[in-house]
Amino acid sequence: MPSFRALPPSLLGSHRGRAATEEASAKRIHVPVARATVDCAIYVDGSRQPGKYTHAAALDRVHELEAGGQKAFVWIGLHEPDEHQMEAVAEVFGLHPLAVEDAVHAHQRPKVERYDDTLFLVLKTVKYVPHESVALAREIVETGEIMVFVGGDFVVTVRHGDHTGLAGLRRTLEEEHQQLALGPYAVMHAIADHVVDSYREVSELMEHDIDIIESETFSPTSETDIEPIYMLKREVVELRRAVSPLTVALGRFNSDFKDLMSKEVLRYMRDVLDHQTQAADRIASYDEMLSSLVQAALAKVGMQQNVDMRKISAWVAIAAVPTMIAGIYGMNFENMPELSWEWGYPAVLTLMVTVCGFLYITFRRNNWL
């Protein structure tokens, strides 16, 4: 009979680890799309239809309504879906694999890309983190991402981050359904407008922090600390990287995608571009201002060091006089002037005090002390 030997503990543990990993992967494959779905709704002529739908059932219902001559689309919102959930959605809506990969892994620059008749828009979201003091804050701007897939009869939004919720925007659009009546590209405009408005709000809040840093930097009574300036500049750079690339992306709508959107939606997109340009210019000015503040702070620190060195040099000069005289009379030679004089000791002390006092007055008049 063939003999079987037990696996060594190390190999047995490795085998069990691989089995557990394969089992976990299998479980992840079967996680339903509903776990990542925040909301899924059908809109007909701008009005939300009652009922709950899966992403596949919603698109089928939209096709039925379109066959009956009604204008309808589905809007599904996803929050941080995994690869298999996103692939299931992509299969139903016909999304391009490259765009799907970007939507899953996130960390993309703001951009807009066209895949046949589908637009893929990447937006960076920002949130101002409240803090008591700029000097003590470790984070002022928090960033996230929203990816928007838009086709002729669907909108798929994929969000990354805890502050990127679109529930409030969806409710606002449903209450004022005139914009929803313009179709799925109007939803894309509303999301872009919502994100750009947050840029303006965050930049206005950061302006207050910059004003505080500027006042402290140029205050004659306060010591200059460069670290808060560097920290604030780091946050402004992060904000600038999130905001500035979107200007180019939004500029492409009126030149490259006119065949996909109505004139009304294109007008709305131009308005968003104007607001985006204003926000980007303001943030760029903040970056330049903080660079100037860094230079000013370094110059102020250098001046403070020069003042400190002058004070040290002045006190050293004053201390050198009694040190020199005491050193001369401490050499213990037999033939030294005034050694046997009765008033020699008081005279030397008086000379020391007089010279030191003269030097102190001179340095004070010259602002060295």
Side-chain angles (χ1 to χ4, degrees), residues 174-223:
E174 290 172 354
E175 292 172 359
E176 303 173 359
H177 55 83
Q178 294 86 352
Q179 187 168 355
L180 286 175
L182 296 175
Y185 289 100
V187 175
M188 180 188 63
H189 156 264
I191 296 173
D193 187 52
H194 172 72
V195 171
V196 171
D197 284 344
S198 70
Y199 294 164
R200 300 170 70 184
E201 293 173 2
V202 171
S203 63
E204 289 174 359
L205 292 171
M206 290 195 70
E207 185 175 3
H208 177 66
D209 293 331
I210 295 174
D211 290 341
I212 293 175
I213 289 292
E214 186 177 16
S215 299
E216 293 178 352
T217 301
F218 292 104
S219 175
T221 58
S222 63
E223 294 186 0

Side-chain angles (χ1 to χ4, degrees), residues 79-210:
H79 182 242
E80 297 182 354
D82 61 27
E83 182 177 355
H84 303 288
Q85 293 169 334
M86 197 63 211
E87 286 178 354
V89 174
E91 183 178 358
V92 172
F93 292 96
L95 307 180
H96 196 278
L98 293 177
V100 171
E101 182 181 359
D102 290 343
V104 172
H105 298 291
H107 304 296
Q108 305 295 318
R109 285 173 58 88
K111 62 180 180 179
V112 60
E113 294 179 350
R114 179 173 181 171
Y115 298 96
D116 298 327
D117 292 333
T118 301
L119 286 185
F120 176 57
L121 176 63
V122 178
L123 300 165
K124 282 282 190 180
T125 60
V126 296
K127 177 187 177 183
Y128 182 81
V129 180
H131 48 273
E132 296 181 357
S133 171
V134 181
L136 300 178
R138 287 296 172 262
E139 185 180 28
I140 297 179
V141 176
E142 180 182 344
T143 60
E145 290 181 48
I146 296 179
M147 286 82 166
V148 186
F149 297 87
V150 187
D153 52 11
F154 67 86
V155 179
V156 178
T157 56
V158 181
R159 303 186 292 104
H160 292 268
D162 296 329
H163 67 276
T164 56
L166 296 174
L169 175 64
R170 188 189 286 257
R171 285 194 299 269
T172 301
L173 291 174
E174 290 172 354
E175 292 172 359
E176 303 173 359
H177 55 83
Q178 294 86 352
Q179 187 168 355
L180 286 175
L182 296 175
Y185 289 100
V187 175
M188 180 188 63
H189 156 264
I191 296 173
D193 187 52
H194 172 72
V195 171
V196 171
D197 284 344
S198 70
Y199 294 164
R200 300 170 70 184
E201 293 173 2
V202 171
S203 63
E204 289 174 359
L205 292 171
M206 290 195 70
E207 185 175 3
H208 177 66
D209 293 331
I210 295 174

Side-chain angles (χ1 to χ4, degrees), residues 40-54:
C40 182
I42 296 173
Y43 299 90
V44 178
D45 295 327
S47 299
R48 179 168 180 156
Q49 302 301 293
K52 294 184 178 180
Y53 300 88
T54 63

